[in-house]
């Protein structure tokens, strides 16, 4: 079992709920533009929120990816931090938390791509994927499991969709509902849902 879960009750577990906004869909060839992290508890308590843009050295047209989706500008990136600084900050959160994301495979692929380019590593405990948790509750796939639809089902309002912090906060606020619906009340039960 993960060190962050050792001798813990579910109430003591801290989650690092992560979202990234990126230049595209390839974790290998595209880049993180924005990182959002929300530190939360299983009962929905929000302890901390962090967001940053990631400074980039490319300014060719089109390199920002789906601007109409995420709205991130070159000006935003100029006030960001370097990819290495972003990874160091992320690792400081991940050291004592369980990594959570909606479609965790996507975010982890991008963060691993950034880490590889920076000759660093990220060390996520978990991960716990809210997309998978939501789908597991709907085995016949009658519902949509996109983040905007999952948050709407639980009456969670995401004020700025496709903003890394807003999406991380929305994910953090649906996590207690998903844990409850899965009857997850112990760290042992939680650990059976790890994997992206």
């Amino acid at each position: 079992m993960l060190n962050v879960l050792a001798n813990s009750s579910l109430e003591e577990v801290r989650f690092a709920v992560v979202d990234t906004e990126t230049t595209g869909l390839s974790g290998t060839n595209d880049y993180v533009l924005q990182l959002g992290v929300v530190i939360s508890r299983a009962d929905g308590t929000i302890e901390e929120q962090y967001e940053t843009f990631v400074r980039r050295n490319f300014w060719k047209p089109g390199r920002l990816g789906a601007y109409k989706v995420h709205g991130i500008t070159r000006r935003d990136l100029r006030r960001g931090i370097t990819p290495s600084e972003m990874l160091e900050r992320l690792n400081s959160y991940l050291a004592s938390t369980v990594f959570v994301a909606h479609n965790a495979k996507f975010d982890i692929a991008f963060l691993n791509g950034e880490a590889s380019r920076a000759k660093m590593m990220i060390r996520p405990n978990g991960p716990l994927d809210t997309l998978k948790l939501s789908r597991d509750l709907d085995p016949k796939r009658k519902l949509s499991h996109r983040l905007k639809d999952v948050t709407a089902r639980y009456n969670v309002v995401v004020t700025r969709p496709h903003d890394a912090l807003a999406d991380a906060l929305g994910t953090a606020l649906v996590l207690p509902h998903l844990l409850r619906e899965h009857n997850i009340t112990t760290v042992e039960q939680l650990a059976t849902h790890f994997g992206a």
Side-chain angles (χ1 to χ4, degrees):
M1 187 167 301
L2 299 174
N3 287 338
V4 296
L5 298 184
N7 304 313
S8 295
S9 67
L10 188 61
E11 293 75 27
E12 295 171 304
V13 175
R14 297 169 70 238
F15 299 94
V17 185
V18 175
D19 187 74
T20 58
E21 294 302 321
T22 65
T23 59
L25 300 176
S26 168
T28 306
N29 300 317
D30 288 306
Y31 301 86
V32 174
L33 299 176
Q34 184 187 29
L35 173 74
V37 181
V38 174
I39 305 301
S40 69
R41 299 281 185 158
D43 67 358
T45 301
I46 304 299
E47 294 186 349
E48 186 176 347
Q49 299 179 46
Y50 174 75
E51 71 176 318
T52 187
F53 291 105
V54 183
R55 195 176 320 133
R56 293 295 174 189
N57 294 324
F58 50 74
W59 304 112
K60 292 180 183 175
R63 288 308 302 265
L64 295 183
Y67 169 78
K68 290 181 180 175
V69 174
H70 56 59
I72 296 171
T73 65
R74 289 173 173 81
R75 178 178 290 177
D76 293 329
L77 299 185
R78 280 195 289 271
R79 58 189 172 93
I81 61 177
T82 68
S84 294
E85 291 169 322
M86 180 264 296
L87 293 166
E88 287 170 7
R89 183 66 184 255
L90 177 62
N91 274 331
S92 73
Y93 286 120
L94 297 182
S96 61
T97 59
V98 172
F99 182 104
V100 179
H102 196 77
N103 193 3
K105 253 193 298 197
F106 179 87
D107 294 291
I108 288 174
F110 273 90
L111 293 167
N112 279 332
E114 293 290 351
S116 177
R117 286 188 286 273
K119 296 183 175 29
M120 297 174 67
M121 289 182 65
I122 61 160
R123 295 176 285 283
N125 295 302
L128 187 62
D129 189 342
T130 55
L131 174 62
K132 185 176 182 316
L133 286 173
S134 182
R135 284 179 174 163
D136 287 349
L137 293 168
D138 178 33
K140 294 187 179 177
R141 297 291 194 278
K142 293 183 177 182
L143 302 169
S144 166
H145 299 280
R146 294 181 302 175
L147 182 59
K148 74 174 197 166
D149 298 316
V150 175
T151 54
R153 264 196 298 284
Y154 294 108
N155 297 313
V156 171
V157 176
V158 176
T159 55
R160 299 179 326 270
H162 300 292
D163 170 87
L165 182 59
D167 285 350
L169 184 56
T171 303
L173 293 174
V174 300
L175 179 60
H177 297 282
L178 294 169
L179 295 176
R180 194 174 310 113
E181 289 204 32
H182 278 280
N183 296 312
I184 296 171
T185 58
T186 67
V187 292
E188 291 79 14
Q189 291 169 327
L190 181 70
T192 66
H193 292 276
F194 288 167

